[in-house]
Amino acid sequence: MRLRVGAATDVGQVRKLNEDAYTVIPRQGVFVVCDGMGGAAAGEVASQMTIETIQKVLTSNDNNIPAPAANPSGYLARTERLAEAVRESNRAIYELAQEDRKKAGMGTTFVGVWVEDNIASVAHVGDSRAYLWHGDLMEALTEDHSLVEAQVKAGVIRRDQVEESKVRSVLLRALGQEPQVQVDVSEVPLRPGDYLLLCSDGLTRVVPDSGLARAIAILREPQRICNYLIDTANSRGGPDNITVVVVQVLDSFWQRLWDRLRG
Amino acid sequence: MAKLILKFEDRVLKEIPVGAGMVKIGRVPDNTVMIDNPAVSSHHARVFRDGDAFVLEDLQSTNGTFVNDNRVTRHNLSNGDVIAVGKHRLVFERGAQEEAVAEAAPSEEAPVLPELGGTVFLDTKAQRELMAKIQAQAAAQGGQPAAPTAKTAVPGAPPPAPARVGVLTVLSGKADQAEYRLETATSVIGKSDTALVRLKGWFKPKLAAAIARKGETYTVTPLGGKTLVNKQPLTGRYELKDGDVLEVSGLTLQFNLQ
């Protein structure tokens, strides 16, 4: 399995600062998008801190994280490690926010995948999203931790009313807000031809899921997809920072050769 | 948001959102709601927002505009009002959202929320109170909570203990166990040493297929080599049903929920 990756971020048309942050570590199959919040540049600090923590924890070779022998949660050790890295980021931001009054209240969303051996481990907190595109079908891998999502689930508002909601920006979960955070995780097998898309809400607020799917179906090349989506979001007002990471899953060279030889 | 539901003899024809703009009802195409019927005047009536109220106005139509069977020239619409134009009916729905939002986050409460560059976070305590309100609202409206799918039920939390677990029973072929219980989120079939169902042999794929679990839903994704379900080659993701027979690289397995 090979991965082809595209990534882009933009401040948008309204904000002065870009508080989003992302990292792509293709060799390790790690991809992360964070959307920071908190005034006076503190949001930028929170999202950047998370990226750094993730890089540090996941690329360190000391496998200090105990491999769960019994694996009680039912997830791969890799998935657990990703979730633990997110919780570690949460603690780091929370502690800094407690020490530094100027940074009080800073926080960030998190969406990240770790792809290895055709299985993607997905972790998320907040309203940044991950999607899987396969065979022209766009599947949401995450569910926003937002008030409007909770209202939709409770049946108080309909999904098509979300856009006009006054409480659209209210998050129910974010990193750095409380000493502990609940991290949603899942696992999804990947096939050659699949695409993963990670993004901040600056994209999904102005481009519907169908628009994301169409961009992938037509453009195909990850970096072109990212550039196109950033342009589209900006042309629709760019109300917030926009970040998008696209990962294309490809057959490995040997796999293709092998398949051809075996007919 | 408020809307009008256009009906003809109990059939819903369409839904028209009523926002800031004017909704014009009449027989000719420049109307928002065109009703092509001789009983309808070319410009028959209109609906618009006036402050907090939604107003229906008859535009001196020939056959009149009726609300709940009373002829009106101007009327402040209430939730559930039935507007009759010719033989067509327009049901007015105020929409839950305005009230919902107003109740969920009353303006006097809003300043209490920390303002964080547009995005706002609710701490656990505030959340619990708010969620309780939302639940109460949903109950008051008789709103059915959207049926939680396996995925929404507990994303992230350790998978719940659902009543049933998928089991693969070996029907034929060489395997190291007679049956495999699919208890984890992902189970792999292949030569890989992380595989649950271990294939042995030179020409077996490292990863033949992966089975993902969401509650009681099991989806198989073919990854390498040839995989058949009920004798049909598998080309994409497939949701396993009780009794399905999987053939993976010379191994025949039956899937059952137990």
Side-chain angles (χ1 to χ4, degrees):
Chain A
M1 189 189 59
R2 282 185 306 142
L3 302 175
R4 190 149 54 151
V5 186
T9 185
D10 193 85
V11 67
Q13 302 293 304
V14 177
R15 301 288 171 88
K16 287 195 195 72
L17 287 172
N18 191 348
E19 296 189 328
D20 284 3
Y22 73 87
T23 183
V24 297
I25 318 173
R27 247 193 334 175
Q28 205 171 349
V30 172
F31 311 96
V32 176
V33 168
C34 291
D35 175 356
M37 58 196 216
E44 207 180 318
V45 174
S47 58
Q48 200 54 46
M49 263 179 86
T50 303
I51 296 292
E52 280 161 20
T53 308
I54 295 293
Q55 284 168 342
K56 198 176 71 204
V57 173
L58 296 190
T59 55
S60 72
N61 283 327
D62 66 321
N63 279 319
N64 245 349
I65 291 161
N71 200 3
S73 71
Y75 292 105
L76 296 171
R78 194 166 69 239
T79 311
E80 300 289 0
R81 198 165 158 200
L82 177 61
E84 185 49 39
V86 179
R87 288 189 285 266
E88 177 69 41
S89 308
N90 178 65
R91 284 190 288 272
I93 302 166
Y94 183 76
E95 278 165 22
L96 185 63
Q98 296 295 306
E99 286 164 16
D100 187 342
R101 280 188 63 192
K102 269 184 281 182
K103 297 193 175 69
M106 71 172 173
T108 182
T109 68
F110 179 93
V111 63
V113 294
W114 187 352
V115 183
E116 208 178 296
D117 286 341
N118 285 76
I119 295 168
S121 302
V122 185
H124 98 110
V125 174
D127 64 356
S128 296
R129 297 180 182 174
Y131 292 89
L132 169 68
W133 184 89
H134 59 93
D136 290 310
L137 203 82
M138 196 77 175
E139 203 179 310
L141 299 178
T142 53
E143 234 170 58
D144 293 353
H145 301 134
S146 62
L147 181 56
V148 282
E149 186 65 36
Q151 288 176 323
V152 169
K153 268 204 251 170
V156 177
I157 64 170
R158 289 190 318 271
R159 194 157 293 283
D160 59 310
Q161 294 170 324
V162 165
E163 233 161 276
E164 306 147 20
S165 174
K166 289 176 209 150
V167 294
R168 206 178 157 182
S169 298
V170 179
L171 290 184
L172 301 184
R173 280 194 230 168
L175 299 189
Q177 302 296 304
E178 291 180 347
Q180 299 198 342
V181 68
Q182 194 192 338
V183 182
D184 278 5
V185 293
S186 60
E187 290 168 5
V188 58
L190 299 176
R191 285 164 56 78
D194 290 353
Y195 287 78
L196 289 168
L197 186 151
L198 310 183
C199 62
S200 59
D201 69 332
L203 178 63
T204 46
R205 277 185 184 215
V206 285
V207 181
D209 292 5
S210 58
L212 305 178
R214 208 162 41 240
I216 296 173
I218 294 170
L219 296 171
R220 297 287 173 166
E221 205 284 309
Q223 190 59 48
R224 285 180 64 200
I225 297 168
C226 294
N227 297 346
Y228 168 79
L229 288 174
I230 297 268
D231 286 350
T232 308
N234 273 325
S235 72
R236 294 182 188 171
D240 199 353
N241 304 150
I242 314 146
T243 302
V244 56
V245 172
V246 173
V247 181
Q248 181 185 12
V249 183
L250 298 159
D251 261 340
S252 69
F253 170 75
W254 294 109
Q255 183 71 47
R256 265 185 310 176
L257 188 67
W258 184 242
D259 287 349
R260 190 174 299 175
L261 287 175
R262 296 188 72 205
Chain B
M1 121 163 239
K3 63 177 177 183
L4 291 165
I5 302 163
L6 179 64
K7 289 182 173 182
F8 185 73
E9 291 177 345
D10 292 333
R11 261 184 318 130
V12 174
L13 301 181
K14 68 173 187 174
E15 291 189 6
I16 305 100
V18 186
M22 179 83 67
V23 175
K24 296 183 281 184
I25 304 160
R27 201 183 63 244
V28 296
D30 69 344
N31 287 289
T32 325
V33 185
M34 188 181 105
I35 305 176
D36 190 11
N37 187 297
V40 179
S41 298
S42 53
H43 297 99
H44 197 111
R46 60 185 188 182
V47 174
F48 55 92
R49 189 172 187 154
D50 180 15
D52 275 345
F54 289 89
V55 179
L56 166 72
E57 251 180 22
D58 180 69
L59 299 171
Q60 299 178 325
S61 64
T62 314
N63 294 312
T65 302
F66 297 79
V67 172
N68 306 328
D69 298 327
N70 300 313
R71 185 162 184 166
V72 297
T73 51
R74 189 188 161 99
H75 172 83
N76 280 2
L77 289 165
S78 323
N79 193 28
D81 273 352
V82 180
I83 306 164
V85 173
K87 287 193 171 171
H88 286 72
R89 302 283 178 272
L90 290 129
V91 181
F92 176 75
E93 275 188 14
R94 177 80 202 219
Q97 191 223 353
E98 273 107 336
E99 290 96 320
V101 169
E103 263 184 57
S107 49
E108 60 269 28
E109 239 180 56
V112 180
L113 299 172
E115 181 58 49
L116 299 162
T119 305
V120 164
F121 173 79
L122 284 182
D123 65 32
T124 315
K125 184 168 157 279
Q127 242 181 76
R128 281 209 194 100
E129 290 168 9
L130 201 55
M131 293 312 287
K133 267 189 202 168
I134 291 172
Q135 298 300 343
Q137 256 173 42
Q141 287 174 18
Q144 287 292 318
T149 62
K151 187 172 169 222
T152 66
V154 230
R164 295 184 298 171
V165 168
V167 175
L168 291 175
T169 310
V170 180
L171 298 181
S172 70
K174 261 170 91 177
D176 58 347
Q177 287 178 41
E179 61 168 45
Y180 300 91
R181 292 176 66 77
L182 307 172
E183 283 174 318
T184 54
T186 315
S187 305
V188 170
I189 304 173
K191 216 163 69 171
S192 158
D193 47 0
T194 56
L196 171 73
V197 182
R198 289 285 287 277
L199 300 174
K200 291 207 173 74
W202 264 95
F203 299 100
K204 306 290 187 200
K206 189 180 166 212
L207 302 165
I211 300 175
R213 174 191 190 186
K214 294 263 158 71
E216 287 191 4
T217 307
Y218 286 85
T219 310
V220 60
T221 306
L223 298 176
K226 221 176 181 181
T227 301
L228 296 102
V229 170
N230 304 327
K231 306 273 183 210
Q232 297 298 313
L234 202 58
T235 54
R237 291 175 168 77
Y238 171 83
E239 193 181 314
L240 287 168
K241 285 176 270 303
D242 201 28
D244 277 348
V245 175
L246 267 173
E247 289 171 62
V248 185
S249 296
L251 197 61
T252 310
L253 303 149
Q254 184 163 40
F255 173 80
N256 288 109
L257 281 170
Q258 291 182 1

